[in-house]
Amino acid sequence: AQSVAQPEDQVNVAEGNPLTVKCTYSVSGNPYLFWYVQYPNRGLQFLLKYITGDNLVKGSYGFEAEFNKSQTSFHLKKPSALVSDSALYFCAVRDRTGANNLFFGTGTRLTVIP
Amino acid sequence: DAGITQSPRHKVTETGTPVTLRCHQTENHRYMYWYRQDPGHGLRLIHYSYGVKDTDKGEVSDGYSVSRSKTEDFLLTLESATSSQTSVYFCAIPSPTGANVLTFGAGSRLTVL
């Protein structure tokens, strides 16, 4: 069975500093991995995905994530945080069926301090 | 979000009453999904549909039923609501702009007293 772990409920970072939001996964076979972001009172928005190919994936709003197979990780990163990046971030893994079901982590709340 | 709408957006009900949430899409997609979001649990799949009258259970389907009588609508029903079903419910469809990506609705906040 597939699963995703986000070990940090809360991450605080100063504006302008680099940010990292951690994610580890467990899945049999090759993973399909995703990051979504949720702003207050909104639905989830897609940020980026890893399906195959280059381990460094670039996505929306300057975010990127690095797929590390040996560490089974897919950490989200951004070189310079903005106050507007403050939101709830979810890592997800897709199941192996054709149904495209996503299994989500518990979420990490990112707060960027001015 | 474009192409997917949920109704109602907010509902307060009492324990034991039936509740139906509606998801409507204009993308003509086969697949539709219902998730619930709870603190400490993230999003969990309740049910999904892969076509008209074709549905299957997700990881937290107990206490919920669904129906899909036409492509554009996917209904989630709580036959007898309980306080443990207080949650925010999200509908999703595959994104028209990216393979393997889901587009989520704005959510329906349900409170069961």
Side-chain angles (χ1 to χ4, degrees):
Chain A
Q2 54 279 317
S3 65
V4 171
Q6 294 182 243
E8 301 159 316
D9 292 336
Q10 174 82 41
V11 170
N12 297 325
V13 63
E15 186 177 22
N17 282 3
L19 69 87
T20 298
V21 182
K22 295 179 181 177
C23 172
T24 59
Y25 66 90
S26 174
V27 64
S28 57
N30 295 320
Y32 290 10
L33 296 161
F34 304 82
W35 277 100
Y36 283 79
V37 60
Q38 184 179 36
Y39 297 102
N41 300 311
R42 301 286 301 276
L44 275 70
Q45 298 177 28
F46 169 73
L47 272 182
L48 51 80
K49 65 181 178 182
Y50 171 83
I51 303 298
T52 187
D54 194 347
N55 289 347
L56 184 63
V57 178
K58 294 186 182 297
S60 307
Y61 312 121
F63 284 94
E64 59 188 29
E66 186 166 11
F67 171 64
N68 187 317
K69 189 172 183 177
S70 63
Q71 298 185 5
T72 62
S73 66
F74 190 57
H75 301 330
L76 181 70
K77 300 182 179 183
K78 187 174 182 181
S80 179
L82 301 173
V83 173
S84 58
D85 293 330
S86 298
L88 189 56
Y89 291 81
F90 291 98
C91 184
V93 62
R94 208 201 88 169
D95 72 4
R96 304 298 293 173
T97 71
N100 204 21
N101 296 341
L102 288 182
F103 291 86
F104 287 85
T106 52
T108 298
R109 185 164 299 281
L110 173 69
T111 300
V112 180
I113 303 164
Chain B
D1 292 76
I4 182 169
T5 54
Q6 295 183 228
S7 59
R9 293 291 313 281
H10 301 272
K11 186 171 181 66
V12 179
T13 191
E14 295 187 349
T15 298
T17 60
V19 176
T20 295
L21 305 179
R22 178 179 182 244
C23 179
H24 178 81
Q25 61 142 335
T26 58
E27 305 298 329
N28 200 36
H29 210 287
R30 282 181 59 207
Y31 282 91
M32 298 183 75
Y33 309 82
W34 276 109
Y35 285 86
R36 59 177 289 174
Q37 182 181 10
D38 305 287
H41 291 278
L43 277 81
R44 293 176 291 175
L45 182 66
I46 306 171
H47 281 278
Y48 67 98
S49 170
Y50 48 97
V52 173
K53 299 191 187 306
D54 292 323
T55 65
D56 205 349
K57 296 179 180 180
E59 57 181 316
V60 290
S61 59
D62 287 349
Y64 301 94
S65 63
V66 289
S67 65
R68 182 110 178 261
S69 60
K70 46 186 178 178
T71 299
E72 58 265 36
D73 289 328
F74 190 31
L75 304 181
L76 177 70
T77 297
L78 292 65
E79 302 289 350
S80 178
T82 67
S83 58
S84 65
Q85 294 175 312
T86 292
S87 186
V88 182
Y89 292 86
F90 288 97
C91 180
I93 59 172
S95 170
T97 59
N100 297 296
V101 174
L102 294 184
T103 296
F104 285 83
S108 295
R109 182 176 296 275
L110 175 67
T111 302
V112 184
L113 301 175

